[in-house]
Amino acid sequence: MPTIAVLAGDGIGPEIIAEAKKVLVALEERFDLDLTLTEALVGGVAYDETGHPLPPATLELCKQSDAILLGAVGGPKYDAIEPADLRPERGALLPLRKHLELFANLRPATLSPALASSSPLRADIVEGGLDVLVVRELTGGLYFGQPKSNDGERAVDTCVYTKPEIVRIARIAFEAARKRGKKLCSVDKANVLETSRLWRTVVHEVAKEYPDVDVSDMLVDNCAMQLVRNPRQFDVIVTENLFGDVLSDEASMLCGSLGMLPSASLGTRQTAFGTFGLYEPCHGSAPDIAGQGIANPLATILSAAMLLRYSLGAEDAALAIESAVASVLDSGLRTADIAVTGETPVGTAEMGDAVVAALESDGESLARD
Ligand code: IPM
Ligand code: MG
């Protein structure tokens, strides 16, 4: 029986996680999933309650589970916590990724034709929709390199990448590209950074294992520009931790809203059901709208689909969620972040309910056929 650690976290976390749970529960019977969902504290709420944003009991639960579904962590209330390593982002999210060796972060940015008018890009640029996969290295680079310091006069962050770290993320990206449009763009800053020079050399070494994939390099500033100018030129983008953080937010906005972008963070550990991983929306805890019931739950619901796909080997169930989300969007339902002028937005729970209803009617029509 697969076990899922559910960490709602802060801000809108509990609201969006509640909707993803509804969706998972709605699928259980049809796909014979038999899931055990166990909630645990993470982030600011965990700090308030236990004095640490990643309590040992939460880390232990995560290690014992087959997958983790996470909402979001952090908020202004916690930004000034000292030492900084007890703040939710640095004390919970980054250690979770690092301890669990989740080095491969997959961020699929897709714009369905139904949402084209929510994209800030001109209609002719996004015509036919977008489908870009950002593969972000997640446990190296500036986020984790030592030394790190700040004495008030001088601050230091260190960017380190080793060859094995680059090889393993490159392989993930090439494998992904092989299953999609067979095009991989490796993004770096090789005109300035030594880590990027190594990155580029190693990606091309790995490319020899994938002659069927067309590989190219792009400097990160150019990539930021090209994503807006002509996003349809991209299939899979692979890049280091910080560049991937920035470019994935940019890519998400091209798709209408940060509220639409799911993510999977994977390592190499295999469980009885699939690859162990952590699944979370790419957006943050949005404290400005927390508690209002207006957040878009779709990024979290789509993250649950990724969880089913990668960690539970339940491809059919993942596809069912993705097609339910597509049909809800086709029917015109919009949360505030993706509504355009003239459209009346629905709330978080209504959106979740609509996805569940679409799943159920899809299930019924399949049973009839
Ligand atoms: C993300 C977030 C995190 C990151 C923050 C919250 C630490 O922006 O998952 O993209 O920078 O990785
Ligand atoms: Mg980010």
Side-chain angles (χ1 to χ4, degrees), residues 97 107 136 143 244-246 248-249 258 282-283:
R97 293 171 176 172
R107 298 187 160 189
R136 169 185 176 195
Y143 277 58
D245 180 43
V246 177
S248 60
D249 267 28
L258 190 50
C282 291
H283 61 70

mmCIF file with all atom_site columns, all heavy atoms in Angstrom, residues 97 107 136 143 244-246 248-249 258 282-283, ligand 2:
data_model
loop_
_atom_site.group_PDB
_atom_site.id
_atom_site.type_symbol
_atom_site.label_atom_id
_atom_site.label_alt_id
_atom_site.label_comp_id
_atom_site.label_asym_id
_atom_site.label_entity_id
_atom_site.label_seq_id
_atom_site.pdbx_PDB_ins_code
_atom_site.Cartn_x
_atom_site.Cartn_y
_atom_site.Cartn_z
_atom_site.occupancy
_atom_site.B_iso_or_equiv
_atom_site.pdbx_formal_charge
_atom_site.auth_seq_id
_atom_site.auth_comp_id
_atom_site.auth_asym_id
_atom_site.auth_atom_id
_atom_site.pdbx_PDB_model_num
ATOM   1   N  N   . ARG A 1 97  ? 15.099 18.689 0.222   1.00 0.00 ? 97  ARG A N   1
ATOM   2   C  CA  . ARG A 1 97  ? 15.622 18.333 -1.105  1.00 0.00 ? 97  ARG A CA  1
ATOM   3   C  C   . ARG A 1 97  ? 17.000 17.685 -0.987  1.00 0.00 ? 97  ARG A C   1
ATOM   4   O  O   . ARG A 1 97  ? 17.306 16.709 -1.652  1.00 0.00 ? 97  ARG A O   1
ATOM   5   C  CB  . ARG A 1 97  ? 15.718 19.594 -1.964  1.00 0.00 ? 97  ARG A CB  1
ATOM   6   C  CG  . ARG A 1 97  ? 14.366 20.201 -2.327  1.00 0.00 ? 97  ARG A CG  1
ATOM   7   C  CD  . ARG A 1 97  ? 14.532 21.566 -2.979  1.00 0.00 ? 97  ARG A CD  1
ATOM   8   N  NE  . ARG A 1 97  ? 13.255 22.138 -3.414  1.00 0.00 ? 97  ARG A NE  1
ATOM   9   C  CZ  . ARG A 1 97  ? 13.103 23.373 -3.876  1.00 0.00 ? 97  ARG A CZ  1
ATOM   10  N  NH1 . ARG A 1 97  ? 14.154 24.183 -3.962  1.00 0.00 ? 97  ARG A NH1 1
ATOM   11  N  NH2 . ARG A 1 97  ? 11.931 23.820 -4.247  1.00 0.00 ? 97  ARG A NH2 1
ATOM   12  N  N   . ARG A 1 107 ? 9.946  20.646 -14.203 1.00 0.00 ? 107 ARG A N   1
ATOM   13  C  CA  . ARG A 1 107 ? 8.904  21.672 -14.174 1.00 0.00 ? 107 ARG A CA  1
ATOM   14  C  C   . ARG A 1 107 ? 8.295  21.832 -15.572 1.00 0.00 ? 107 ARG A C   1
ATOM   15  O  O   . ARG A 1 107 ? 8.818  22.576 -16.403 1.00 0.00 ? 107 ARG A O   1
ATOM   16  C  CB  . ARG A 1 107 ? 9.492  22.991 -13.672 1.00 0.00 ? 107 ARG A CB  1
ATOM   17  C  CG  . ARG A 1 107 ? 10.011 22.851 -12.253 1.00 0.00 ? 107 ARG A CG  1
ATOM   18  C  CD  . ARG A 1 107 ? 10.461 24.142 -11.622 1.00 0.00 ? 107 ARG A CD  1
ATOM   19  N  NE  . ARG A 1 107 ? 10.482 23.981 -10.169 1.00 0.00 ? 107 ARG A NE  1
ATOM   20  C  CZ  . ARG A 1 107 ? 10.664 24.944 -9.291  1.00 0.00 ? 107 ARG A CZ  1
ATOM   21  N  NH1 . ARG A 1 107 ? 10.839 26.182 -9.706  1.00 0.00 ? 107 ARG A NH1 1
ATOM   22  N  NH2 . ARG A 1 107 ? 10.651 24.692 -7.999  1.00 0.00 ? 107 ARG A NH2 1
ATOM   23  N  N   . ARG A 1 136 ? 15.557 21.304 -13.819 1.00 0.00 ? 136 ARG A N   1
ATOM   24  C  CA  . ARG A 1 136 ? 16.397 22.140 -12.958 1.00 0.00 ? 136 ARG A CA  1
ATOM   25  C  C   . ARG A 1 136 ? 17.217 21.274 -12.007 1.00 0.00 ? 136 ARG A C   1
ATOM   26  O  O   . ARG A 1 136 ? 16.642 20.431 -11.306 1.00 0.00 ? 136 ARG A O   1
ATOM   27  C  CB  . ARG A 1 136 ? 15.474 23.077 -12.159 1.00 0.00 ? 136 ARG A CB  1
ATOM   28  C  CG  . ARG A 1 136 ? 16.144 23.828 -11.043 1.00 0.00 ? 136 ARG A CG  1
ATOM   29  C  CD  . ARG A 1 136 ? 15.117 24.629 -10.224 1.00 0.00 ? 136 ARG A CD  1
ATOM   30  N  NE  . ARG A 1 136 ? 15.757 25.272 -9.090  1.00 0.00 ? 136 ARG A NE  1
ATOM   31  C  CZ  . ARG A 1 136 ? 15.118 25.797 -8.048  1.00 0.00 ? 136 ARG A CZ  1
ATOM   32  N  NH1 . ARG A 1 136 ? 13.805 25.762 -7.990  1.00 0.00 ? 136 ARG A NH1 1
ATOM   33  N  NH2 . ARG A 1 136 ? 15.785 26.350 -7.059  1.00 0.00 ? 136 ARG A NH2 1
ATOM   34  N  N   . TYR A 1 143 ? 22.893 27.535 -4.208  1.00 0.00 ? 143 TYR A N   1
ATOM   35  C  CA  . TYR A 1 143 ? 22.015 27.295 -3.063  1.00 0.00 ? 143 TYR A CA  1
ATOM   36  C  C   . TYR A 1 143 ? 22.754 26.581 -1.928  1.00 0.00 ? 143 TYR A C   1
ATOM   37  O  O   . TYR A 1 143 ? 22.440 26.782 -0.771  1.00 0.00 ? 143 TYR A O   1
ATOM   38  C  CB  . TYR A 1 143 ? 20.816 26.425 -3.482  1.00 0.00 ? 143 TYR A CB  1
ATOM   39  C  CG  . TYR A 1 143 ? 19.672 27.178 -4.107  1.00 0.00 ? 143 TYR A CG  1
ATOM   40  C  CD1 . TYR A 1 143 ? 19.846 27.949 -5.246  1.00 0.00 ? 143 TYR A CD1 1
ATOM   41  C  CD2 . TYR A 1 143 ? 18.389 27.107 -3.558  1.00 0.00 ? 143 TYR A CD2 1
ATOM   42  C  CE1 . TYR A 1 143 ? 18.788 28.626 -5.826  1.00 0.00 ? 143 TYR A CE1 1
ATOM   43  C  CE2 . TYR A 1 143 ? 17.327 27.780 -4.133  1.00 0.00 ? 143 TYR A CE2 1
ATOM   44  C  CZ  . TYR A 1 143 ? 17.532 28.537 -5.272  1.00 0.00 ? 143 TYR A CZ  1
ATOM   45  O  OH  . TYR A 1 143 ? 16.469 29.202 -5.842  1.00 0.00 ? 143 TYR A OH  1
ATOM   46  N  N   . GLY A 1 244 ? 17.565 27.705 -13.097 1.00 0.00 ? 244 GLY A N   1
ATOM   47  C  CA  . GLY A 1 244 ? 16.307 26.964 -13.235 1.00 0.00 ? 244 GLY A CA  1
ATOM   48  C  C   . GLY A 1 244 ? 15.205 27.575 -12.384 1.00 0.00 ? 244 GLY A C   1
ATOM   49  O  O   . GLY A 1 244 ? 14.031 27.582 -12.777 1.00 0.00 ? 244 GLY A O   1
ATOM   50  N  N   . ASP A 1 245 ? 15.572 28.090 -11.241 1.00 0.00 ? 245 ASP A N   1
ATOM   51  C  CA  . ASP A 1 245 ? 14.588 28.758 -10.376 1.00 0.00 ? 245 ASP A CA  1
ATOM   52  C  C   . ASP A 1 245 ? 13.988 29.947 -11.118 1.00 0.00 ? 245 ASP A C   1
ATOM   53  O  O   . ASP A 1 245 ? 12.768 30.121 -11.181 1.00 0.00 ? 245 ASP A O   1
ATOM   54  C  CB  . ASP A 1 245 ? 15.292 29.212 -9.087  1.00 0.00 ? 245 ASP A CB  1
ATOM   55  C  CG  . ASP A 1 245 ? 14.327 29.923 -8.150  1.00 0.00 ? 245 ASP A CG  1
ATOM   56  O  OD1 . ASP A 1 245 ? 13.195 29.446 -7.985  1.00 0.00 ? 245 ASP A OD1 1
ATOM   57  O  OD2 . ASP A 1 245 ? 14.721 30.972 -7.588  1.00 0.00 ? 245 ASP A OD2 1
ATOM   58  N  N   . VAL A 1 246 ? 14.848 30.748 -11.706 1.00 0.00 ? 246 VAL A N   1
ATOM   59  C  CA  . VAL A 1 246 ? 14.401 31.975 -12.367 1.00 0.00 ? 246 VAL A CA  1
ATOM   60  C  C   . VAL A 1 246 ? 13.640 31.646 -13.662 1.00 0.00 ? 246 VAL A C   1
ATOM   61  O  O   . VAL A 1 246 ? 12.534 32.140 -13.890 1.00 0.00 ? 246 VAL A O   1
ATOM   62  C  CB  . VAL A 1 246 ? 15.618 32.880 -12.674 1.00 0.00 ? 246 VAL A CB  1
ATOM   63  C  CG1 . VAL A 1 246 ? 15.179 34.122 -13.420 1.00 0.00 ? 246 VAL A CG1 1
ATOM   64  C  CG2 . VAL A 1 246 ? 16.346 33.254 -11.379 1.00 0.00 ? 246 VAL A CG2 1
ATOM   65  N  N   . SER A 1 248 ? 12.142 28.960 -14.578 1.00 0.00 ? 248 SER A N   1
ATOM   66  C  CA  . SER A 1 248 ? 10.873 28.241 -14.445 1.00 0.00 ? 248 SER A CA  1
ATOM   67  C  C   . SER A 1 248 ? 9.752  29.186 -14.024 1.00 0.00 ? 248 SER A C   1
ATOM   68  O  O   . SER A 1 248 ? 8.601  29.011 -14.438 1.00 0.00 ? 248 SER A O   1
ATOM   69  C  CB  . SER A 1 248 ? 10.982 27.026 -13.515 1.00 0.00 ? 248 SER A CB  1
ATOM   70  O  OG  . SER A 1 248 ? 11.372 27.401 -12.226 1.00 0.00 ? 248 SER A OG  1
ATOM   71  N  N   . ASP A 1 249 ? 10.040 30.195 -13.228 1.00 0.00 ? 249 ASP A N   1
ATOM   72  C  CA  . ASP A 1 249 ? 8.994  31.194 -12.931 1.00 0.00 ? 249 ASP A CA  1
ATOM   73  C  C   . ASP A 1 249 ? 8.614  31.928 -14.217 1.00 0.00 ? 249 ASP A C   1
ATOM   74  O  O   . ASP A 1 249 ? 7.439  32.189 -14.480 1.00 0.00 ? 249 ASP A O   1
ATOM   75  C  CB  . ASP A 1 249 ? 9.483  32.240 -11.912 1.00 0.00 ? 249 ASP A CB  1
ATOM   76  C  CG  . ASP A 1 249 ? 9.138  31.855 -10.473 1.00 0.00 ? 249 ASP A CG  1
ATOM   77  O  OD1 . ASP A 1 249 ? 9.038  30.646 -10.200 1.00 0.00 ? 249 ASP A OD1 1
ATOM   78  O  OD2 . ASP A 1 249 ? 8.979  32.766 -9.629  1.00 0.00 ? 249 ASP A OD2 1
ATOM   79  N  N   . LEU A 1 258 ? 1.644  31.532 -12.533 1.00 0.00 ? 258 LEU A N   1
ATOM   80  C  CA  . LEU A 1 258 ? 2.494  30.695 -11.694 1.00 0.00 ? 258 LEU A CA  1
ATOM   81  C  C   . LEU A 1 258 ? 1.638  29.627 -11.002 1.00 0.00 ? 258 LEU A C   1
ATOM   82  O  O   . LEU A 1 258 ? 2.126  28.563 -10.631 1.00 0.00 ? 258 LEU A O   1
ATOM   83  C  CB  . LEU A 1 258 ? 3.185  31.601 -10.668 1.00 0.00 ? 258 LEU A CB  1
ATOM   84  C  CG  . LEU A 1 258 ? 4.301  31.055 -9.799  1.00 0.00 ? 258 LEU A CG  1
ATOM   85  C  CD1 . LEU A 1 258 ? 5.358  30.341 -10.608 1.00 0.00 ? 258 LEU A CD1 1
ATOM   86  C  CD2 . LEU A 1 258 ? 4.925  32.179 -8.994  1.00 0.00 ? 258 LEU A CD2 1
ATOM   87  N  N   . CYS A 1 282 ? 5.135  25.070 -8.149  1.00 0.00 ? 282 CYS A N   1
ATOM   88  C  CA  . CYS A 1 282 ? 6.335  25.921 -8.228  1.00 0.00 ? 282 CYS A CA  1
ATOM   89  C  C   . CYS A 1 282 ? 6.139  27.253 -7.507  1.00 0.00 ? 282 CYS A C   1
ATOM   90  O  O   . CYS A 1 282 ? 7.105  27.934 -7.192  1.00 0.00 ? 282 CYS A O   1
ATOM   91  C  CB  . CYS A 1 282 ? 6.706  26.193 -9.686  1.00 0.00 ? 282 CYS A CB  1
ATOM   92  S  SG  . CYS A 1 282 ? 7.289  24.723 -10.519 1.00 0.00 ? 282 CYS A SG  1
ATOM   93  N  N   . HIS A 1 283 ? 4.894  27.604 -7.261  1.00 0.00 ? 283 HIS A N   1
ATOM   94  C  CA  . HIS A 1 283 ? 4.656  28.893 -6.597  1.00 0.00 ? 283 HIS A CA  1
ATOM   95  C  C   . HIS A 1 283 ? 4.924  28.791 -5.100  1.00 0.00 ? 283 HIS A C   1
ATOM   96  O  O   . HIS A 1 283 ? 5.107  27.693 -4.566  1.00 0.00 ? 283 HIS A O   1
ATOM   97  C  CB  . HIS A 1 283 ? 3.236  29.384 -6.864  1.00 0.00 ? 283 HIS A CB  1
ATOM   98  C  CG  . HIS A 1 283 ? 2.169  28.452 -6.361  1.00 0.00 ? 283 HIS A CG  1
ATOM   99  N  ND1 . HIS A 1 283 ? 1.920  28.257 -5.024  1.00 0.00 ? 283 HIS A ND1 1
ATOM   100 C  CD2 . HIS A 1 283 ? 1.293  27.657 -7.024  1.00 0.00 ? 283 HIS A CD2 1
ATOM   101 C  CE1 . HIS A 1 283 ? 0.922  27.400 -4.889  1.00 0.00 ? 283 HIS A CE1 1
ATOM   102 N  NE2 . HIS A 1 283 ? 0.540  27.005 -6.086  1.00 0.00 ? 283 HIS A NE2 1
HETATM 103 MG MG  . MG  B 2 .   ? 11.298 29.526 -7.428  1.00 0.00 ? 2   MG  B MG  1
#
